[in-house]
Amino acid sequence: MALKGKVALVTGSTSGIGLGIARALAAEGADIMLNGFGDADDIEKLRAGMEKEFTIKAAYDGADLSKPDQVAALVQKTQEALGGLDILVNNAGIQFTAPVEEFPDAKWEAIISINLSAVFYGMKAAIPVMKKKKWGRIINIASAHGLVASPHKVAYVAAKHGVVGATKVAAIETANDGITVNAICPGWVLTPLVERQLQDRAKEAGTDVETEKKKMLQETQPMLTFSTPEEIGALTVFLCSDGAATMTGAPISIDGGWVAH
Ligand code: NAD
C-alpha cells in the first residue's frame, strides 16, 4: 500500500489505459478522482466498485477536457472531494485518421485540445498545489507517436510530440520542488481507441479484426503482442514510488520495441 494517503486524478479513466492506471493506483491505496465519458450508471458502478474492492475513496467528475476551464475546475474539484492532489495522470485522448490534405479542421482542433492542451492546463493547475506540499507526481500518457510518426495521424502525432516536449519543460521547472514529471509512451494497447481503428482497417481492407490485429503489430512492433492497461498501470505505480524519485523529464517507452528499430 505504498500510495496510502495520496490522492490521484486520472483523466479519461472510464475506459482503457486510464482505467488500468486508476485501478493500479487504487490497489496501492491511493484515493482516486475518475474522469471521462460513458453511461452514468456504469460509471457509478465502476466508482463504487473501486471503493469496495480497494478500500479507498473514489470520486467522479465528468469534466470535458476539450474545455480549458473544465480542466482547471477538475483539479479544484479533486482537492475539494478528496482533500488534496498528489498524483496527476493526464491520460484522456482521442484519435482520428486521414491524410493531411483531407484531415478535417474540427478533428485537428479536437485532438490538439484534448490530447495536448488539456495536459498543459492540467499541469498548470496542479503544479502550484504540488509545490506547496513539496511532493508531486505528474505522468503524461504520450505514445510511441510522441517519438516517431505514422501516416494519417497528423494531429495525434503532433499532439503527442507536444506532450513529450511539455513534459520535459515542466520537469526542468519543478526539478527541485519534490515533483517529477514523466511521459509514458505506449505502443499498441488493445483498448476501445484501438478497436475502432481495427474495425476501420478491416472494413477498408475487406478482412477481419483478427487479421488486422496481426498486421497492425507486424507493421510497427518487433514484439508481436499488445501491451495491457495493467502493464501501463504498473509502470505508473513505479513512477510514483520512491525508487523513481530522481526520474524526471523522461519519455518512457513501453512499446514492444517499436521505437528501438
Ligand atoms: P479509450 O478510448 O479506451 O479511453 C479514452 C478515455 O478518455 C475514455 O475514458 C474517454 O471517455 C476519455 N475522454 C475522451 N475524450 C474526453 C474528453 N473530451 N474529456 C474527458 N475525457 C475524455 O483510449 P485509450 O487507448 O485507453 O487511450 C488513453 C490514452 O492512451 C490516450 O491519451 C491515448 O492517446 C494513449 N495511448 C493509447 C494507445 C493504445 O494503443 N491504446 C497507445 C499509446 C497511447
Side-chain angles (χ1 to χ4, degrees), residues 1 3-9 22 25-27 29-34 46-60 78-84:
M1 300 294 267
L3 300 176
K4 192 134 192 68
K6 304 281 190 216
V7 174
L9 162 59
L25 294 172
D31 292 327
I32 305 290
M33 174 59 91
L34 296 164
L46 184 72
R47 190 202 64 75
M50 276 180 63
E51 282 198 331
K52 202 162 166 228
E53 184 176 353
F54 301 113
T55 331
I56 52 131
K57 275 200 263 175
Y60 166 76
T78 303
Q79 296 169 76
E80 285 162 16
L82 299 171

Side-chain angles (χ1 to χ4, degrees), residues 20-137:
I21 291 171
R23 288 180 56 78
L25 294 172
E28 290 298 326
D31 292 327
I32 305 290
M33 174 59 91
L34 296 164
N35 158 261
F37 299 147
D39 176 78
D41 289 343
D42 290 347
I43 293 172
E44 175 50 24
K45 266 188 214 139
L46 184 72
R47 190 202 64 75
M50 276 180 63
E51 282 198 331
K52 202 162 166 228
E53 184 176 353
F54 301 113
T55 331
I56 52 131
K57 275 200 263 175
Y60 166 76
D61 187 274
D64 177 350
L65 297 198
S66 67
K67 311 273 191 301
D69 54 337
Q70 294 195 28
V71 182
L74 177 60
V75 169
Q76 184 60 38
K77 282 182 195 164
T78 303
Q79 296 169 76
E80 285 162 16
L82 299 171
L85 176 64
D86 306 289
I87 298 162
L88 169 64
V89 183
N90 285 307
N91 164 79
I94 57 168
Q95 177 61 287
F96 186 83
T97 58
V100 174
E101 69 271 28
E102 291 166 24
F103 210 90
D105 295 353
K107 292 289 182 192
W108 167 270
E109 298 293 342
I111 290 176
I112 296 298
S113 66
I114 297 166
N115 294 23
L116 175 59
S117 298
V119 175
F120 160 68
Y121 289 114
M123 293 198 298
K124 185 175 179 177
I127 284 172
V129 183
M130 294 175 174
K131 271 188 176 172
K132 264 191 208 149
K133 273 201 171 175
K134 300 199 183 318
W135 198 93
R137 294 286 183 269

